[in-house]
mmCIF file of all heavy atoms in Angstrom:
data_model
loop_
_atom_site.group_PDB
_atom_site.id
_atom_site.type_symbol
_atom_site.label_atom_id
_atom_site.label_comp_id
_atom_site.label_asym_id
_atom_site.label_seq_id
_atom_site.Cartn_x
_atom_site.Cartn_y
_atom_site.Cartn_z
ATOM 1 N N GLU A 297 1.852 1.294 0.928
ATOM 2 C CA GLU A 297 2.780 2.475 0.995
ATOM 3 C C GLU A 297 3.457 2.630 -0.388
ATOM 4 O O GLU A 297 3.633 3.791 -0.832
ATOM 5 C CB GLU A 297 3.871 2.254 2.001
ATOM 6 C CG GLU A 297 3.345 2.549 3.475
ATOM 7 C CD GLU A 297 4.317 2.015 4.448
ATOM 8 O OE1 GLU A 297 5.408 1.636 4.131
ATOM 9 O OE2 GLU A 297 3.922 1.919 5.625
ATOM 10 N N GLU A 298 3.789 1.547 -0.984
ATOM 11 C CA GLU A 298 4.562 1.570 -2.243
ATOM 12 C C GLU A 298 3.603 2.174 -3.350
ATOM 13 O O GLU A 298 4.131 2.897 -4.212
ATOM 14 C CB GLU A 298 5.026 0.156 -2.658
ATOM 15 C CG GLU A 298 6.419 0.166 -3.290
ATOM 16 C CD GLU A 298 7.031 -1.236 -3.328
ATOM 17 O OE1 GLU A 298 7.516 -1.705 -2.291
ATOM 18 O OE2 GLU A 298 6.888 -1.876 -4.451
ATOM 19 N N THR B 103 2.381 13.529 1.346
ATOM 20 C CA THR B 103 2.058 13.784 2.743
ATOM 21 C C THR B 103 1.467 12.512 3.370
ATOM 22 O O THR B 103 1.894 12.128 4.507
ATOM 23 C CB THR B 103 1.089 14.976 2.868
ATOM 24 O OG1 THR B 103 1.622 16.080 2.080
ATOM 25 C CG2 THR B 103 0.999 15.449 4.358
ATOM 26 N N VAL B 104 0.527 11.908 2.675
ATOM 27 C CA VAL B 104 -0.161 10.652 3.142
ATOM 28 C C VAL B 104 1.000 9.558 3.318
ATOM 29 O O VAL B 104 1.056 8.901 4.344
ATOM 30 C CB VAL B 104 -1.223 10.111 2.160
ATOM 31 C CG1 VAL B 104 -1.658 8.706 2.530
ATOM 32 C CG2 VAL B 104 -2.343 11.079 2.079
ATOM 33 N N TYR B 105 1.835 9.465 2.324
ATOM 34 C CA TYR B 105 2.975 8.561 2.335
ATOM 35 C C TYR B 105 3.874 8.833 3.566
ATOM 36 O O TYR B 105 4.311 7.896 4.270
ATOM 37 C CB TYR B 105 3.820 8.705 1.067
ATOM 38 C CG TYR B 105 4.972 7.789 0.964
ATOM 39 C CD1 TYR B 105 4.807 6.513 0.511
ATOM 40 C CD2 TYR B 105 6.262 8.287 1.189
ATOM 41 C CE1 TYR B 105 5.971 5.604 0.370
ATOM 42 C CE2 TYR B 105 7.371 7.440 1.048
ATOM 43 C CZ TYR B 105 7.179 6.133 0.645
ATOM 44 O OH TYR B 105 8.256 5.337 0.517
ATOM 45 N N GLY B 106 4.094 10.076 3.882
ATOM 46 C CA GLY B 106 4.873 10.465 5.012
ATOM 47 C C GLY B 106 4.320 10.004 6.332
ATOM 48 O O GLY B 106 5.003 9.487 7.271
ATOM 49 N N PHE B 107 2.927 10.124 6.423
ATOM 50 C CA PHE B 107 2.266 9.648 7.623
ATOM 51 C C PHE B 107 2.363 8.115 7.789
ATOM 52 O O PHE B 107 2.586 7.590 8.807
ATOM 53 C CB PHE B 107 0.794 10.077 7.586
ATOM 54 C CG PHE B 107 0.564 11.490 8.124
ATOM 55 C CD1 PHE B 107 0.163 12.529 7.238
ATOM 56 C CD2 PHE B 107 0.681 11.825 9.449
ATOM 57 C CE1 PHE B 107 0.001 13.835 7.665
ATOM 58 C CE2 PHE B 107 0.538 13.122 9.900
ATOM 59 C CZ PHE B 107 0.187 14.128 9.035
ATOM 60 N N MET B 108 2.196 7.419 6.612
ATOM 61 C CA MET B 108 2.314 5.998 6.623
ATOM 62 C C MET B 108 3.657 5.546 7.076
ATOM 63 O O MET B 108 3.817 4.495 7.800
ATOM 64 C CB MET B 108 2.076 5.453 5.262
ATOM 65 C CG MET B 108 0.616 5.459 4.787
ATOM 66 S SD MET B 108 0.499 5.017 3.080
ATOM 67 C CE MET B 108 -1.063 4.154 3.045
ATOM 68 N N LYS B 109 4.703 6.250 6.628
ATOM 69 C CA LYS B 109 6.096 5.906 7.000
ATOM 70 C C LYS B 109 6.513 6.565 8.270
ATOM 71 O O LYS B 109 7.692 6.363 8.746
ATOM 72 C CB LYS B 109 7.005 6.308 5.874
ATOM 73 C CG LYS B 109 6.928 5.592 4.587
ATOM 74 C CD LYS B 109 7.895 4.404 4.585
ATOM 75 C CE LYS B 109 8.130 3.904 3.186
ATOM 76 N NZ LYS B 109 9.127 2.773 3.154
ATOM 77 N N GLN B 110 5.637 7.402 8.885
ATOM 78 C CA GLN B 110 5.980 8.218 10.082
ATOM 79 C C GLN B 110 7.280 8.949 9.882
ATOM 80 O O GLN B 110 8.213 8.906 10.717
ATOM 81 C CB GLN B 110 6.069 7.301 11.238
ATOM 82 C CG GLN B 110 4.806 6.434 11.403
ATOM 83 C CD GLN B 110 4.258 6.461 12.787
ATOM 84 O OE1 GLN B 110 4.885 6.008 13.731
ATOM 85 N NE2 GLN B 110 3.010 6.975 12.924
ATOM 86 N N ASP B 111 7.422 9.637 8.716
ATOM 87 C CA ASP B 111 8.622 10.367 8.343
ATOM 88 C C ASP B 111 8.282 11.869 8.381
ATOM 89 O O ASP B 111 7.718 12.412 7.409
ATOM 90 C CB ASP B 111 8.999 9.933 6.971
ATOM 91 C CG ASP B 111 10.373 10.538 6.442
ATOM 92 O OD1 ASP B 111 10.554 11.693 6.651
ATOM 93 O OD2 ASP B 111 11.129 9.785 5.865
ATOM 94 N N SER B 112 8.790 12.556 9.460
ATOM 95 C CA SER B 112 8.485 13.938 9.675
ATOM 96 C C SER B 112 8.935 14.861 8.497
ATOM 97 O O SER B 112 8.147 15.726 8.055
ATOM 98 C CB SER B 112 9.137 14.422 11.022
ATOM 99 O OG SER B 112 8.609 13.709 12.043
ATOM 100 N N ILE B 114 9.196 14.345 5.342
ATOM 101 C CA ILE B 114 8.257 14.193 4.185
ATOM 102 C C ILE B 114 6.974 14.844 4.526
ATOM 103 O O ILE B 114 6.432 15.508 3.677
ATOM 104 C CB ILE B 114 8.060 12.660 3.891
ATOM 105 C CG1 ILE B 114 9.412 12.111 3.361
ATOM 106 C CG2 ILE B 114 7.009 12.461 2.838
ATOM 107 C CD1 ILE B 114 9.342 10.599 2.966
ATOM 108 N N ILE B 115 6.425 14.612 5.718
ATOM 109 C CA ILE B 115 5.114 15.181 6.135
ATOM 110 C C ILE B 115 5.244 16.768 6.075
ATOM 111 O O ILE B 115 4.388 17.437 5.510
ATOM 112 C CB ILE B 115 4.769 14.761 7.550
ATOM 113 C CG1 ILE B 115 4.499 13.241 7.563
ATOM 114 C CG2 ILE B 115 3.478 15.506 7.986
ATOM 115 C CD1 ILE B 115 4.284 12.676 8.988
#
Side-chain angles (χ1 to χ4, degrees):
Chain A
E297 282 168 13
E298 216 165 283
Chain B
T103 310
V104 172
Y105 180 81
F107 277 109
M108 283 170 150
K109 290 268 199 178
Q110 308 230 296
D111 184 316
S112 301
I114 294 181
I115 296 170

